[in-house]
Amino acid sequence: MFETISNFVAAFLTLCIFSFLYKDNPFYKFAEALLVGVSMGYAIPLLFENVFMPYVYTPIFLDHKFIIIIPALIGSLYIFRFTKNLSWLARYPITFSMGIVGMGIPMSLHSSVLVQMRSAMLPLASINITLIFIGTVTILLYFFFSKAHKGIYGKVTNVGIWFMMIGFGASFGYTVMARISLLIGRIQFLLGDWLGLIK
Amino acid sequence: MKKSTLKLLDKMQKVDRRIIYIIVAFSIIIPLLIPFNSKTYVTEPTSNIYQKVDSFAGDDTKAVLMSFTHNASTMPELFPMEVALLRHCFERDIKVLTICWLPAAAPLVDYAINQAKEGYDVQSGVDYCNFGYKPYALRLPIMLGMGDDIAKAVETDSQGRKIENLEIMNNIKNYDDMNIIVDFAGNSSAIQWIMYARAKFGANIAAGITAVMVADNYPYLQTGQLLGMFRGLKGAAEYEKLVDVFAAYESDKFPNGRPFSKEIINDTWVPITRDKVTYEVDGKMIETDADLQYKFKKARIGMNAQSVAHVMIIVFIILGNIGFFLTKKKKKKIV
């Protein structure tokens, strides 16, 4: 019984969202606002239960680890973002967050730059590696703006543009595939779970 | 060219977008209502994950970690791959651990486990364990902590039980034992696993991602930093087929599934219109007793609709371009 009712509610809200394809309307706006409200309503108690209780309340009040009070106080300074005069206090927790970002830089350099460079410097033994080599070099030359893209240099950078266009095309193709997949998921729900036409 | 043809092309240039929506909708609804058998080709990024996971079959000292970094909005693409991977683990007696980083992902993990475990004799805390929701802000310390001791980094599971006391954690201490991490996300969050778990601890990372993110993640696959990749609904369909052909295979010789083989996967087809798992080998149909449930072929049925929708979109693009160039030519003549 519960499943039938929840399927009806989900189907109604899905159709409300789909109604935007015809034109903007109150049903769409209602479903959109409901989504935001429900998401927040769901997240707040979950965060309280899974973050505040185990990482703030329990260590301080039950385990008596009073050192936790310091990071808890620093974190609570974020609240001052909402005041005009004291908003500068929020910069202190941000500083700690930035420190964590800095911690990731060496490992990010390793995985996103060094390993990528290493695999672009292989012997040109196959067509794939040759294509990767030509693509990497021509695109890097395209982004070298200290020299005008004219003459032979301009033709080489044009090859880089072609490589980028193919890359953008692949990305766009995958985007279309993803959007259609989402539509398939919803239609599978409407026809299967709701109307019971697919078994 | 005839005037009537030009008029038609001109009209097609101005066609209402809502008509196109309806045509695309029907191109999806019809294949879903009347499914047909199409061949699913398994690609290397998907089979690599399968082979790695399958190498842990029956091994008490290894586990698979599934990281859920998505919410319901990307469920149509990611959920079938999660169910397929869980089914593979349950079918082949592989320990599986799950963790999620977004509040809205917590019920999705339970939903995926409940869908996959139906019909299998598996127990929470013994065969699988859901670590539950961990705040995204703690992702980095947990990722790094799991490299030393999972029980210390995660502490409790979704039911509040101490992880160190659970039977599943016997012989499982850190990334050395949990030798593949599959991150399911609609963004590039697998890169964080590569940065911290792989670069620092040498863990094997795989990604289950939405098709939108595939192009972004390809460089990591090409450099070998990603062991494998589920690429959208297609990746899920491929894994469903792999599980049907190998993990769920039962015979006198292989009572609990058979080992992966490239030749078998290329030559075997599983018709999705049948209710029983049926293999088509060299044109011959071999029907087994195993049920081919809808939830275990959802991605493959979805891919049928996907193919039809893609053909429709290609046709629209071609027609639109023909119309555009012909009307442009006509206008030039008039000038």
Side-chain angles (χ1 to χ4, degrees), chain B residues 231-252:
Chain B
R231 292 161 299 170
L233 198 65
K234 169 86 170 78
E238 290 175 17
Y239 211 84
E240 279 181 356
K241 184 190 168 186
L242 280 164
V243 176
D244 274 342
V245 174
F246 298 112
Y249 184 83
E250 279 178 29
S251 69
D252 295 338

Side-chain angles (χ1 to χ4, degrees), chain B residues 135-207:
Chain B
Y136 201 87
L138 297 171
R139 193 170 152 105
L140 183 55
I142 290 175
M143 269 181 181
L144 292 171
M146 281 201 287
D148 295 322
D149 191 343
I150 300 163
K152 274 187 189 163
V154 181
E155 290 186 2
T156 53
D157 74 348
S158 62
Q159 295 171 41
R161 297 175 296 187
K162 279 269 180 198
I163 280 169
E164 59 194 357
N165 300 334
L166 298 175
E167 194 184 321
I168 193 172
M169 296 311 286
N170 294 342
N171 307 319
I172 308 291
K173 187 169 167 62
N174 52 35
Y175 289 131
D176 292 338
D177 312 310
M178 199 167 58
N179 213 0
I180 184 166
I181 298 151
V182 189
D183 186 73
F184 296 95
N187 54 34
S188 296
S189 74
I191 294 167
Q192 284 185 329
W193 285 106
I194 292 171
M195 274 166 59
Y196 299 109
R198 183 173 173 78
K200 199 166 157 51
F201 300 101
N204 289 309
I205 313 296

Side-chain angles (χ1 to χ4, degrees), chain A residues 4 18 23 33 35 44 48-49 64 67 70 82 96 109 135-136 146 186 191 196:
Chain A
T4 313
F18 278 176
K23 64 177 184 180
L35 174 76
I44 289 169
F48 181 81
E49 189 68 26
H64 302 296
I67 191 81
I70 298 169
F82 301 112
F96 282 91
L109 265 177
T136 308
S146 297
R186 277 296 80 192
L191 297 178

Side-chain angles (χ1 to χ4, degrees), chain A residues 20-23 42-43 46-47 50-51 55 100-101 103-105 107-108 110-112 115-116 118-120 122 132 167 170-171 173-189 191 193 197-199, chain B residues 17-18 21 24-25 28-29 32-33 73-74 76-77 103-104 106-107 133-135 138 140 142 144 191 194-196 199-200 211-212 214-215 218-220 222-223 225 231 233-234 294 298 301-303 305-306 309-310 313:
Chain A
F20 184 78
L21 293 172
Y22 182 69
K23 64 177 184 180
Y42 179 73
L46 203 70
L47 283 169
N50 289 282
V51 182
Y55 296 104
I100 294 167
V101 172
M103 197 179 108
I105 288 175
M107 283 179 262
S108 173
H110 173 82
S111 55
S112 301
V115 179
Q116 303 291 344
R118 189 177 63 200
S119 63
L122 297 170
I132 289 169
S171 284
Y174 270 118
T175 306
V176 171
M177 185 178 162
R179 300 300 175 236
I180 295 288
S181 299
L182 297 183
L183 181 60
I184 289 168
R186 277 296 80 192
I187 292 177
Q188 275 178 330
F189 165 75
L191 297 178
D193 299 339
L197 296 172
I198 306 173
K199 277 168 191 166
Chain B
R17 67 189 161 86
R18 284 168 286 205
Y21 292 157
V24 171
I28 289 169
I29 291 168
L32 290 179
L33 285 175
S73 64
T74 48
E77 283 183 277
Y133 163 64
K134 303 293 167 198
L138 297 171
L140 183 55
I142 290 175
L144 292 171
I191 294 167
I194 292 171
M195 274 166 59
Y196 299 109
K200 199 166 157 51
V212 177
V214 171
Y218 253 119
Y220 297 93
Q222 188 246 329
T223 53
Q225 295 185 89
R231 292 161 299 170
L233 198 65
K234 169 86 170 78
Y294 179 74
K298 204 173 177 182
I301 292 173
M303 276 312 291
Q306 181 91 255
H310 282 190
I313 291 167

Side-chain angles (χ1 to χ4, degrees), chain B residues 278-297:
Chain B
T278 309
Y279 303 106
E280 188 192 334
V281 186
D282 299 330
K284 286 180 187 169
M285 304 299 261
I286 305 160
E287 193 174 281
T288 66
D289 293 335
D291 289 330
L292 183 57
Q293 297 177 56
Y294 179 74
K295 62 184 175 185
F296 297 142
K297 57 181 178 181

